Amino acid sequence: PMEAEAETRLLLQEARESIEAARSYRRELQQRLRGLQQARKQIKESATLTRDVLEQHFNDLKGTLKKLLDERLVSLLQEVDTIEQESIKPLDECQKLIEHGVSTADDLLREGESAVHGDVGQENEKLCSFTKKALHIQLDSLPEVPSLVDVPCLSAQLDDCLLTILKNQIFRHGTVASRPPVQLEEFVEKPGGILVRWCKVDDDFVPQDYRLQYRKSTASHFEDVYVGSETEFIVLHIDPNVDYQFRVCARGDGRQEWSPWSVPQIGHTTLVPHEWTTGLEGYSLSSRRNIALRNDSQSCGVLYSKAPTYFCGQTLTFRQVLTGLLLIETVGQPDRRDSLGVCVEQQNGYDSLQRDKAVCISTNGAVFVNGKEMTNQLPAVTSGSTVTFDMEAVQLGPSSTEGGNFKLRVTISSNNREVVFDWVLDQCCGSLYFGCSFSYPGWKVLVF
């Protein structure tokens, strides 16, 4: 009985495992079925859209071609009218002259016949008057009439090769692609943005430029967000927890037309955007509060972020721009106390991030960790420079040798150079503030 009971339990266990495997198998099949349905839907919808595009395009071509032919016909008919009018005008003038001469000759004939057959007493007077008039009219002068070979003979020259050229061009016009040459590859969440990456999937296609578009899922039209040769782009001003649709296409080397669009994909970010805190007198902020401009106020201090929105594992980027006018003036010079960096907490009363619980880079390229200058130095920050901070937690828990219990591996990059060091803190920090300080006006900082 015990063996039978054990065998029954084993069979029940195997049966339950088979049932669970069958459920899992059914779920996988259902998921693949949904994938097939989506694939079928994509094929059907893209085929319908392609038909509509082709029909609309060729209808537009036919309309445009008819318009161009009509315009050319009108132009040629006007040319015929012009030649006809210009050629007929001198003939009309000559005809009027001849008709006038015929009328004059008729009158002269009647007068001459009347003078010849008139009364004897008046014969000499009439004959004398007629003779004088005949001499005055110059009966030996006749207007010149052009011969037929000297006047225009209009005709139309129509070369049938146009039809051959059009036929060859039309038969080569347009192609149907089964898949786009580029596809979206990856979406990486950024604070208030999304890093979009794409790749080429057609080995025979040689791209020259890429074109990235996006739209909110509730919007009806896509808009351009990037055109260039790079294969990734950070799309900023993205609302958190909102779906956006992206698509990309490419332009072949030496071509003017764009390739078909990639399959649209959904991307979103759950990270709130980086923002500078408001209210500090020495800085003016943009409407989205991600750009800070050091104004000409005499007030100084550190401008911090609104909240600790920088998390370990992210990349924090400062893009700096010196306003050209103030750079020309001497008041825009860098100062050794200038700083760009991150810190554990906001501490008022300091004029720089070169202090404890902060890491930063000065505008002259010096790197400071907890207020101490490192031996390694980066290039000076100038107009158009980009400074990035990357941090990774490398040690948790107590550490008697380092004197702290939390360590961050920090990488600061600027102008294609970087420094890497460990930042030891006495507390665990999951999120950090960022900040900046400048002694002179003219510095503008974009953070993302």
Side-chain angles (χ1 to χ4, degrees):
M2 293 178 63
E3 291 179 358
E5 185 179 351
E7 184 178 356
T8 301
R9 286 197 301 269
L10 180 60
L11 290 174
L12 285 173
Q13 180 65 26
E14 291 177 350
R16 292 191 184 97
E17 291 177 355
S18 298
I19 291 173
E20 186 60 33
R23 287 175 178 166
S24 177
Y25 180 65
R26 184 180 61 182
R27 285 195 299 270
E28 290 293 334
L29 288 177
Q30 289 173 340
Q31 184 175 357
R32 280 163 171 74
L33 181 59
R34 286 192 294 270
L36 285 175
Q37 291 171 345
Q38 291 176 351
R40 182 186 296 273
K41 181 180 178 183
Q42 177 174 304
I43 294 173
K44 290 284 188 182
E45 290 181 351
S46 62
T48 300
L49 178 61
T50 301
R51 290 188 191 98
D52 293 341
V53 170
L54 287 172
E55 290 176 358
Q56 182 64 44
H57 177 74
F58 277 85
N59 285 333
D60 292 343
L61 279 181
K62 286 189 287 186
T64 303
L65 185 58
K66 182 179 182 304
K67 180 182 178 182
L68 292 174
L69 289 174
D70 290 342
E71 290 178 354
R72 182 56 179 164
L73 175 60
V74 170
S75 175
L76 291 173
L77 292 176
Q78 289 177 347
E79 189 174 346
V80 171
D81 293 340
T82 300
I83 295 175
E84 180 186 24
Q85 293 172 4
E86 292 178 351
S87 302
I88 289 294
K89 183 178 179 180
L91 298 182
D92 290 340
E93 294 175 353
C94 184
Q95 180 176 342
K96 290 180 181 179
L97 184 61
I98 291 175
E99 290 174 350
H100 177 71
V102 171
S103 176
T104 302
D106 289 341
D107 294 340
L108 188 63
L109 282 173
R110 286 193 294 272
E111 186 176 346
E113 291 175 351
S114 175
V116 172
H117 299 94
D119 296 338
V120 178
Q122 300 177 348
E123 183 176 355
N124 292 338
E125 183 179 350
K126 288 184 177 182
L127 289 174
C128 182
S129 175
F130 170 73
T131 303
K132 290 181 179 180
K133 183 179 292 187
L135 291 173
H136 178 71
I137 293 176
Q138 296 180 349
L139 296 177
D140 58 345
S141 176
L142 295 173
E144 184 176 357
V145 176
S147 61
L148 294 179
V149 296
D150 295 330
V151 296
C153 181
L154 280 72
S155 62
Q157 286 76 47
L158 302 173
D159 194 345
D160 291 338
C161 71
L162 175 62
L163 295 177
T164 303
I165 296 173
L166 288 177
K167 181 179 178 181
N168 293 334
Q169 291 293 329
I170 289 173
F171 284 167
R172 291 198 301 266
H173 181 68
T175 58
V176 176
S178 60
R179 55 179 54 87
V182 291
Q183 291 286 8
L184 295 168
E185 183 178 30
E186 184 182 15
F187 296 102
V188 180
E189 293 187 39
K190 295 291 183 179
I194 301 175
L195 172 61
V196 184
R197 292 191 175 103
W198 54 89
C199 62
K200 187 184 71 164
V201 295
D202 185 352
D203 294 336
D204 297 328
F205 184 78
V206 181
Q208 175 180 319
D209 292 308
Y210 298 99
R211 181 182 179 187
L212 177 67
Q213 289 189 336
Y214 84 125
R215 69 178 179 186
K216 277 188 176 181
S217 294
T218 56
S220 57
H221 298 290
F222 284 90
E223 60 180 273
D224 287 340
V225 68
Y226 172 76
V227 176
S229 59
E230 301 295 329
T231 56
E232 66 177 35
F233 182 75
I234 297 181
V235 183
L236 299 176
H237 312 320
I238 295 294
D239 296 329
N241 302 308
V242 175
D243 285 341
Y244 287 80
Q245 210 171 27
F246 294 86
R247 65 182 185 182
V248 67
C249 66
R251 180 163 49 196
D253 189 19
R255 306 295 294 271
Q256 294 296 322
E257 70 278 5
W258 292 99
S259 73
W261 290 106
S262 66
V263 177
Q265 295 190 36
I266 299 295
H268 72 280
T269 182
T270 58
L271 306 175
V272 297
H274 291 317
E275 293 183 8
W276 298 104
T277 190
T278 58
L280 191 59
E281 185 178 350
Y283 294 86
S284 303
L285 305 183
S286 63
S287 59
R288 291 184 176 269
R289 297 182 293 279
N290 62 337
I291 300 177
L293 172 66
R294 180 66 168 93
N295 55 37
D296 55 3
S297 171
Q298 297 299 318
S299 175
C300 61
V302 178
L303 176 66
Y304 293 101
S305 58
K306 181 180 178 181
T309 54
Y310 175 54
F311 298 90
C312 293
Q314 295 180 356
T315 297
L316 180 70
T317 303
F318 295 97
R319 181 165 294 162
Q320 304 226 45
V321 178
L322 278 170
T323 54
L325 179 60
L326 294 178
L327 181 61
I328 295 174
E329 298 175 357
T330 57
V331 296
Q333 297 299 317
D335 186 87
R336 59 179 300 273
R337 297 293 296 168
D338 294 342
S339 60
L340 278 168
V342 296
C343 57
V344 175
E345 57 190 6
Q346 297 179 346
Q347 292 185 10
N348 297 324
Y350 288 90
D351 61 355
S352 174
L353 285 175
Q354 300 170 18
R355 60 170 176 80
D356 188 37
K357 296 184 179 181
V359 293
C360 66
I361 176 177
S362 177
T363 51
N364 63 9
V367 178
F368 291 84
V369 183
N370 291 330
K372 297 181 180 179
E373 184 176 355
M374 294 184 60
T375 304
N376 295 336
Q377 185 165 332
L378 291 170
V381 177
T382 58
S383 176
S385 292
T386 299
V387 180
T388 61
F389 287 75
D390 290 279
M391 297 192 185
E392 179 185 3
V394 294
Q395 180 177 336
L396 297 174
S399 174
S400 58
T401 58
E402 297 290 346
N405 60 4
F406 190 71
K407 184 187 294 185
L408 294 176
R409 180 70 45 80
V410 182
T411 302
I412 306 178
S413 303
S414 177
N415 293 335
N416 297 321
R417 289 181 58 187
E418 65 180 29
V419 294
V420 182
F421 56 90
D422 288 339
W423 182 21
V424 180
L425 299 170
D426 58 3
Q427 60 183 358
C428 179
C429 294
S431 59
L432 299 165
Y433 290 87
F434 56 87
C436 69
S437 65
F438 299 101
S439 300
Y440 296 103
W443 291 91
K444 183 185 292 185
V445 183
L446 165 67
V447 61
F448 59 91

